[in-house]
Amino acid sequence: MADLDDLREGTNFGLGIDKEGQSFHVKGAENLPWGMKDRLSRIFNPKSGKTVMLAFDHGFIMGPTSGLERIDLSIVPLIEYADCLMCTRGILRSVIPANTTKPVCLRSDAGTSVLTELNDNVLIDIEDAIRLNASAMAVMLAIGEAAHEAKTVANLYKAVDGASRYGIPVMGVTAVGKQMARDARYFGLASRICAENGANIVKTYYCEGFEKVVAACPVPVVIAGGKKLPEKEALELCYKAINDGAAGVDMGRNVFQSDSPVAMIQAVHAVVHQGITPEQGYEMYLDLAK
Ligand code: R5P
């Protein structure tokens, strides 16, 4: 049997007891019931405490955007390298093989498209998340947008009410309207509002002062990648986010729009889980892309 020091050093057989004596590897999840913890453990690796979520839900507002025209060709080959898949129910049912065994973070709100006013979303049926065996539900909050703020906070609130009845965690997604500042003050506010309303995971963006955003958020924070960057810069973004306390990434365009998506997701995975530097990650990317 492992002694306490072994457990605290991380050779904990996946039990998730860390050096601070926290007995569960997901921040803020200590008091959750077994089903919630089980689902969170499918998303966040119990050894590293981190996750690489592959986001390809963009089509629900953007249609067949670059890299997502043929999800069967662009995304399906990446599934084996992701820790979790984030997508809509339509793509899950129609394109993603049901035997992948990867946890799914189901995009659970829907509404407007790029052609109209963004962020005017409603919540989809919670029972559908159960039918699809979702490991989490993702719901967007439009903080600071007067026309949508209350409605989207209510969406999250209702999602948490419904999903927690079935042990399903909810991820709050902080949207950024065109007029919003992309700074730690804004992301700190939006992330905290997600958590205060019951989100078990928060997805936001990396920014200067990101460590303050993470410190003030009582649940794990994962970052979106945003618009496509050169591969090395995207790996730097992952590295800085992890270094500043992110529990992982929920990345889309910087993976599936890469020149070599299969190489890129493996490099991202190594930066997130093994803590390799962006330089090492980029070398790895170049090697795998050959
Ligand atoms: C956008 O609607 C989605 O929430 C995306 O999942 C999110 O922005 C992450 O994708 P990307 O890394 O491409 O920003």
Side-chain angles (χ1 to χ4, degrees), residues 84-271:
C84 179
L85 309 178
M86 186 199 177
C87 62
T88 59
R89 59 185 182 175
I91 289 298
L92 193 63
R93 285 201 170 97
S94 57
V95 190
I96 305 303
N99 60 0
T100 60
T101 73
K102 293 284 174 175
V104 169
C105 179
L106 187 70
R107 181 84 208 198
S108 300
D109 54 350
T112 45
S113 77
V114 275
L115 301 180
T116 58
E117 197 182 358
L118 275 179
N119 297 340
D120 192 16
N121 285 2
V122 295
L123 190 64
I124 66 166
D125 184 6
I126 282 158
E127 281 184 17
D128 218 23
I130 301 167
R131 277 191 286 274
L132 289 165
N133 197 27
S135 291
M137 294 171 70
V139 178
M140 178 274 296
L141 265 76
I143 298 302
E145 284 184 40
H148 312 305
E149 186 179 81
K151 187 176 172 191
T152 56
V153 170
N155 286 344
L156 176 77
Y157 206 93
K158 282 185 220 149
V160 171
D161 276 352
S164 57
R165 233 175 270 146
Y166 303 99
I168 301 176
V170 174
M171 178 165 86
V173 175
T174 65
V176 196
K178 282 200 179 105
Q179 68 280 30
M180 294 304 147
R182 290 183 168 241
D183 59 17
R185 199 156 167 238
Y186 175 75
F187 292 131
L189 171 79
S191 299
R192 182 62 175 261
I193 290 173
C194 289
E196 296 266 354
N197 283 290
N200 308 101
I201 310 168
V202 170
K203 175 168 119 173
T204 192
Y205 291 85
Y206 185 75
C207 60
E208 203 172 309
F210 183 73
E211 67 283 357
K212 289 189 199 138
V213 176
V214 173
C217 185
V219 297
V221 174
V222 297
I223 61 145
K227 285 192 181 142
K228 172 78 175 71
L229 300 166
E231 279 74 7
K232 192 161 177 213
E233 283 176 38
L235 293 167
E236 273 160 11
L237 176 73
C238 297
Y239 183 81
K240 284 198 275 183
I242 296 296
N243 238 10
D244 289 352
V249 298
D250 183 16
M251 203 168 242
R253 287 163 286 182
N254 277 291
V255 172
F256 61 70
Q257 291 177 354
S258 163
D259 290 339
S260 178
V262 170
M264 188 59 182
I265 193 167
Q266 290 181 80
V268 168
H269 200 274
V271 169

Side-chain angles (χ1 to χ4, degrees), residues 269-285:
H269 200 274
V271 169
V272 169
H273 287 287
Q274 294 159 32
I276 65 168
T277 63
E279 292 73 28
Q280 290 168 323
Y282 188 56
E283 248 176 65
M284 183 178 176
Y285 165 76

Side-chain angles (χ1 to χ4, degrees), residues 25-47:
H25 64 286
V26 180
K27 189 177 179 185
E30 196 87 50
N31 299 321
L32 296 179
W34 197 94
M36 281 271 191
K37 285 181 166 167
D38 176 68
R39 288 186 179 89
L40 286 166
S41 300
R42 293 171 197 277
I43 299 170
F44 295 95
N45 183 307
K47 293 214 168 83

